[in-house]
Amino acid sequence: MRLNVKNIFLLTLGVLCGIILTSFILTNPFKPTLILTYKEFQRKNLELNQLKNQISILNKDIENMQQKLIEYQNSSRITQNVLMTMKNELDDVRLFSGFCDVEGPGVRIIIDDNRNYDISDDNILDYITHNSDILYVIYDLKNAGAEAISVNGQRIISTSEVTCEGPIIKINNQYIVPPFEILAIGDPDALYFAMTMPDSKIKELQFRQLYVRIVKEKRIKISGYNRKTVPKYIKISK
């Protein structure tokens, strides 16, 4: 049988197409298509909805936790502000109660007896410093705005006594003798002015010829009252 050129060409083309098709099939196998039944679709749809609900719940939990965090931060700031306010108020109470060491500007006053008096002088008591003299000087200092006062190292607080014990004076249950050093913290100019007024107790002591010296100070240190006080009668009113 005689083959012509046309038939040979067609035969060759067919063989080549077969080879190419076979190679494509081998390198790219067909994947089977997943076909869901109605029940399987319902189950998958249910699972999807459950997953969406879980995601929604988790998002709400995240929002709640974020809100709680914000509230905690705000509460923490409020607590810090309250604590700071209480601390400042407590510091003020401690400052003015007299139970802590303090420092500041003020005046230093030295008062001493007149040791050059004549024993036969009828006014001999005028040349001695009495507890009432110290009390009135303390009153004058307080009226002039003194914020802290001490006498010979004894801090003057609300319960401090200044009593006469013969030739000596007792303050805070401690005996002290002249010369008396009175320290007062406050406006130095105002305190000095009050002490040198014509009707002040200091002027009277000078008139009685006692030794008196007043010095303005830029920095005075006064120790706090270091003994325990127990109220016997006073209590907080409700």
Side-chain angles (χ1 to χ4, degrees), residues 171-225:
I171 299 179
N172 294 338
N173 205 33
Q174 299 295 311
Y175 296 104
I176 60 176
V177 296
F180 301 104
E181 180 187 55
I182 302 176
L183 302 179
I185 294 177
D187 184 336
D189 293 331
L191 296 177
Y192 187 88
F193 178 79
M195 292 300 98
T196 55
M197 290 281 289
D199 57 348
S200 68
K201 189 64 179 182
I202 289 293
K203 283 296 183 182
E204 178 191 322
L205 298 180
Q206 291 175 334
F207 177 78
R208 285 162 43 191
Q209 301 180 30
L210 272 68
Y211 174 83
V212 177
R213 183 183 177 207
I214 308 174
V215 181
K216 298 180 185 178
E217 299 280 359
K218 293 182 178 179
R219 186 184 181 190
I220 291 177
K221 288 187 176 182
I222 297 180
S223 299
Y225 185 85

Side-chain angles (χ1 to χ4, degrees), residues 96-97 107 109 134-151 155-162 182-186 190-191 194-195:
F96 290 102
S97 65
V107 295
I109 304 173
I134 301 299
L135 270 175
Y136 280 111
V137 172
I138 292 173
Y139 293 155
D140 287 345
L141 288 170
K142 287 184 175 181
N143 290 334
E147 297 176 346
I149 302 172
S150 71
V151 181
R155 182 71 173 270
I156 302 301
I157 62 174
S158 60
T159 58
S160 294
E161 82 287 359
V162 182
I182 302 176
L183 302 179
I185 294 177
L191 296 177
M195 292 300 98

Side-chain angles (χ1 to χ4, degrees), residues 26-219:
L26 292 175
T27 56
N28 297 281
F30 291 105
K31 295 180 180 179
T33 303
L34 179 63
I35 300 176
L36 295 177
T37 64
Y38 180 70
K39 289 184 178 180
E40 290 175 338
F41 172 77
Q42 286 183 322
R43 182 170 58 83
K44 294 293 183 182
N45 189 53
L46 179 62
E47 292 177 355
L48 178 61
N49 290 333
Q50 290 176 346
L51 183 60
K52 288 181 178 179
N53 289 334
Q54 291 177 358
I55 292 174
S56 178
I57 292 173
L58 289 174
N59 286 332
K60 289 182 179 179
D61 289 342
I62 291 174
E63 291 178 0
N64 290 335
M65 294 301 293
Q66 289 176 338
Q67 182 62 33
K68 288 182 180 180
L69 178 61
I70 293 173
E71 291 175 357
Y72 173 77
Q73 290 173 339
N74 292 336
S75 175
S76 178
R77 282 193 290 268
I78 293 174
T79 302
Q80 291 297 325
N81 291 335
V82 171
L83 290 176
M84 183 59 67
T85 300
M86 292 176 63
K87 180 181 180 302
N88 292 335
E89 292 178 353
L90 180 59
D91 288 342
D92 290 340
V93 171
R94 292 178 67 243
L95 278 174
F96 290 102
S97 65
F99 287 88
C100 64
D101 298 348
V102 293
E103 63 178 48
V107 295
R108 182 188 306 271
I109 304 173
I110 306 297
I111 301 174
D112 197 3
D113 297 340
N114 182 350
R115 304 182 186 278
N116 297 319
Y117 60 85
D118 186 351
I119 195 171
S120 61
D121 194 329
D122 293 336
N123 298 321
I124 187 173
L125 293 179
D126 288 344
Y127 305 134
I128 299 174
T129 308
H130 302 280
N131 66 307
S132 58
D133 297 327
I134 301 299
L135 270 175
Y136 280 111
V137 172
I138 292 173
Y139 293 155
D140 287 345
L141 288 170
K142 287 184 175 181
N143 290 334
E147 297 176 346
I149 302 172
S150 71
V151 181
N152 284 22
Q154 296 300 317
R155 182 71 173 270
I156 302 301
I157 62 174
S158 60
T159 58
S160 294
E161 82 287 359
V162 182
T163 59
C164 177
E165 304 293 329
I168 58 179
I169 293 175
K170 187 172 72 171
I171 299 179
N172 294 338
N173 205 33
Q174 299 295 311
Y175 296 104
I176 60 176
V177 296
F180 301 104
E181 180 187 55
I182 302 176
L183 302 179
I185 294 177
D187 184 336
D189 293 331
L191 296 177
Y192 187 88
F193 178 79
M195 292 300 98
T196 55
M197 290 281 289
D199 57 348
S200 68
K201 189 64 179 182
I202 289 293
K203 283 296 183 182
E204 178 191 322
L205 298 180
Q206 291 175 334
F207 177 78
R208 285 162 43 191
Q209 301 180 30
L210 272 68
Y211 174 83
V212 177
R213 183 183 177 207
I214 308 174
V215 181
K216 298 180 185 178
E217 299 280 359
K218 293 182 178 179
R219 186 184 181 190

